[in-house]
Amino acid sequence: MRFYTDTPPGHDLTYDDVFLMPNRSAVASRFDVDLATSDGTGATIPVVVANMTAVAGRRMAETMARRGGLVVLPQDVDTAALRDIVAWVKSRHPVWDTPLVLTPNDAVADALNLLPKRAHGAVVIVDEDERPVGVVDEAACAGVDRFTRLSDVADPDVLTMPLTAAPREVFHQLHGRNVHIALGVDEEGRLAGVLTEVSALRAELYRPALDDKGRLRVAAAIGVNGDVSAKTTALLDAEVDILVVDTAHGHQEKMITALKAVRAAVDAAGRGRPATPSAEPAPALDRQSSPGAGQDGGPSLAGSGVTVVAGNVVTAEGTRDLVEAGADVVKVGVGPGAMCTTRMMTGVGRPQFSAVLECARAARELGARVWADGGVRHPRDVALALAAGASSVMVGSWFAGTYESPGDLLRDEQGHPYKESFGMASKRAVTARTRADSAFDRARKALFEEGISTSRMRLNPAAPSVEDLLDAICSGVRSACTYTGATTLEEFHDKAVVGVQSASGFAEGAPLPTGW
């Protein structure tokens, strides 16, 4: 990346301060762009869900990995529970979504409780042999007594297809029909998955992030306190693919000590990977015979090596120290998150674009990569972070208001659906994290909380799923690459030309409000 004037400004910049210049391009279509990352994580899109309790859970992990991204499970999750989550995610099908299942004798109330858990909007009714006999959606439950049996409201007209059916075939079977969901069944006719018309389309456009056994990938966070080596060993035993050593201030001795312990445990288990990431895109596979293969080729299998990520820092010095201590990837960002009050409380932090730019250069000199963590509010911000040299961009609160986030779906005074989000250094998060401490220690730690304890994140009725947001992000990044003349993210970083703009320049690029 270079600046349009060839001279970097004398002050730090955030995403709103910069823009991408269009270049002469030979890229004919946005589908010619490969969004696979170069950091060795096996991700096929450059999006990572941050390890926030209100955002990262099993449903989010399954959905993101199926579309090629990653989810970092929070460090506060009990090890036994985390092992169960990882096993569950890795048992999911790489193409077919997990169905919501009830029996004919269950009540409409049971279906209404389950429907908000999945974006596909349907509960499948199965018999005693787990074979599908009907489908129930929200419309079928409208105006019906909540104690009505599902056998009385289920639509018996079901479309079943073998799990080996290509997503394109599923799309064609659904297109133009009243049935909006296809049910994947195994060789015995038992329910194993579901696909809607749009999810079948997405299965042709995205490649899942798979491990060397063809299972969905998942990451997990580790704190810098306690027995870090034991926690690392437990996560390795649980078959976590990416370990994220996480603390708000990553450039400190406690982090370096913890990171060295993680690296030692990974290497002792024989799970390390080559230090220099490969920038080569995944080889193309036959889409008709490879589950999850998409427009860009086949699934990316990054091997059995575990990637070690550490952060957060905002300087080249901090980046170099973490890489030398054992990090393959460094997380960059202090204070830009939507739920974070660090900058207002302490004055500490740095505008995110400049932080990513400097840290990415330092990491690449050592054969490592960075993740841009925080400050992302629009698809353009993701593109700009990648242009600055990040291999992936971490997203938190933006994804909290989706069907896939862990929280319960609530409704405000006007009936609008929302979910609650909160910062991981807030009173709410600290209280949960210190539950086992003494009353005195909990009270003492409560004096140093930073972050918002509750925020309502509304579900957008037009885009209620995290997959809808991924479509917007990936579409924006693909288009940015075509404007730049790049077909890979590494080429995008090399060719990107960035200019600096005023606040009015940023406002000029924003669409007018609806109804203006």
Side-chain angles (χ1 to χ4, degrees), residues 191-208:
L191 179 68
V194 298
L195 277 180
T196 64
E197 190 172 324
V198 68
S199 59
L201 178 65
R202 286 173 175 140
E204 285 284 323
L205 299 178
Y206 294 88
R207 300 197 312 270

Side-chain angles (χ1 to χ4, degrees), residues 49-50 52-57 60 71 395-397 399-400 404-406 421:
V49 177
M52 296 173 62
T53 306
V55 184
M60 185 71 76
V71 167
V395 179
S397 297
F399 289 168
E404 291 80 9
S405 64
S421 182

Side-chain angles (χ1 to χ4, degrees), residues 418-441:
Y418 73 91
K419 289 191 176 183
E420 289 189 341
S421 182
F422 52 92
M424 292 309 292
S426 66
K427 177 180 178 59
R428 181 169 175 175
V430 170
T431 299
R433 192 156 51 240
T434 60
R435 190 176 291 114
D437 293 356
S438 68
F440 180 84
D441 286 340

Side-chain angles (χ1 to χ4, degrees), residues 106-148:
D106 288 318
V108 164
D110 299 319
L112 290 173
N113 288 333
L114 278 182
L115 283 169
K117 303 295 185 182
R118 291 280 168 183
H120 54 64
V123 173
V124 184
I125 311 304
V126 299
D127 61 19
E128 60 275 9
D129 295 320
E130 300 182 9
R131 293 183 174 90
V133 296
V135 174
V136 173
D137 57 16
E138 191 170 353
C141 299
V144 178
D145 188 280
R146 293 173 63 88
F147 297 101
T148 302

Side-chain angles (χ1 to χ4, degrees), residues 47-51 55-56 60 64 70-72 393-396 399 466:
V47 182
V48 178
V49 177
N51 45 303
V55 184
M60 185 71 76
M64 284 293 299
L70 298 171
V71 167
V72 183
V393 177
M394 295 193 81
V395 179
F399 289 168
V466 70

Side-chain angles (χ1 to χ4, degrees), residues 29-329:
S29 167
R30 69 180 63 180
F31 295 116
D32 293 336
V33 177
D34 186 351
L35 295 183
T37 66
S38 62
D39 53 19
T41 59
T44 61
I45 62 171
V47 182
V48 178
V49 177
N51 45 303
M52 296 173 62
T53 306
V55 184
R58 68 172 66 199
R59 280 179 286 140
M60 185 71 76
E62 169 198 4
T63 304
M64 284 293 299
R66 190 175 284 124
R67 299 299 172 232
L70 298 171
V71 167
V72 183
L73 299 174
Q75 65 196 56
D76 301 337
V77 179
D78 177 74
T79 302
L82 190 140
R83 185 183 299 111
D84 291 341
I85 294 172
V86 173
W88 185 88
V89 171
K90 288 188 172 292
S91 69
R92 301 302 93 186
H93 196 276
V95 176
W96 293 80
D97 198 0
T98 300
L100 300 170
V101 180
L102 289 173
T103 68
N105 290 325
D106 288 318
V108 164
D110 299 319
L112 290 173
N113 288 333
L114 278 182
L115 283 169
K117 303 295 185 182
R118 291 280 168 183
H120 54 64
V123 173
V124 184
I125 311 304
V126 299
D127 61 19
E128 60 275 9
D129 295 320
E130 300 182 9
R131 293 183 174 90
V133 296
V135 174
V136 173
D137 57 16
E138 191 170 353
C141 299
V144 178
D145 188 280
R146 293 173 63 88
F147 297 101
T148 302
R149 299 299 99 183
L150 293 177
S151 57
D152 296 330
V153 298
D155 182 357
D157 183 17
V158 296
L159 171 63
T160 61
M161 301 188 70
L163 289 176
T164 54
R168 189 183 297 265
E169 180 184 352
V170 176
F171 178 90
H172 288 308
Q173 287 291 327
L174 288 170
H175 189 64
R177 294 182 52 161
N178 291 330
V179 178
H180 79 281
I181 192 167
L183 310 181
V185 295
D186 63 17
E187 295 177 352
E188 304 298 325
R190 293 171 298 197
L191 179 68
V194 298
L195 277 180
T196 64
E197 190 172 324
V198 68
S199 59
L201 178 65
R202 286 173 175 140
E204 285 284 323
L205 299 178
Y206 294 88
R207 300 197 312 270
L210 304 177
D211 63 18
D212 59 337
K213 297 179 181 178
R215 304 171 302 176
L216 298 176
R217 285 183 165 263
V218 63
I222 302 173
V224 298
N225 297 311
D227 192 339
V228 175
S229 295
K231 180 67 178 289
T232 302
T233 300
L235 294 182
L236 292 174
D237 290 343
E239 298 188 279
V240 169
D241 301 289
I242 299 98
L243 299 176
V244 181
V245 192
D246 182 60
T247 189
H249 178 29
H251 199 194
Q252 58 166 303
E253 293 299 328
K254 185 179 286 188
M255 161 59 85
I256 293 172
T257 300
L259 178 54
K260 288 180 177 178
V262 171
R263 170 52 67 189
V266 170
D267 291 344
R271 299 287 301 279
R273 66 176 185 80
T276 303
S278 171
E280 293 298 320
L285 300 181
D286 181 0
R287 291 197 295 271
Q288 297 300 319
S289 61
S290 301
Q295 184 71 34
D296 297 326
S300 175
L301 305 183
S304 59
V306 170
T307 303
V308 177
V309 184
N312 284 24
V313 302
V314 291
T315 64
E317 182 183 3
T319 301
R320 284 190 286 265
D321 283 350
L322 295 192
V323 173
E324 290 170 1
D328 303 306
V329 180

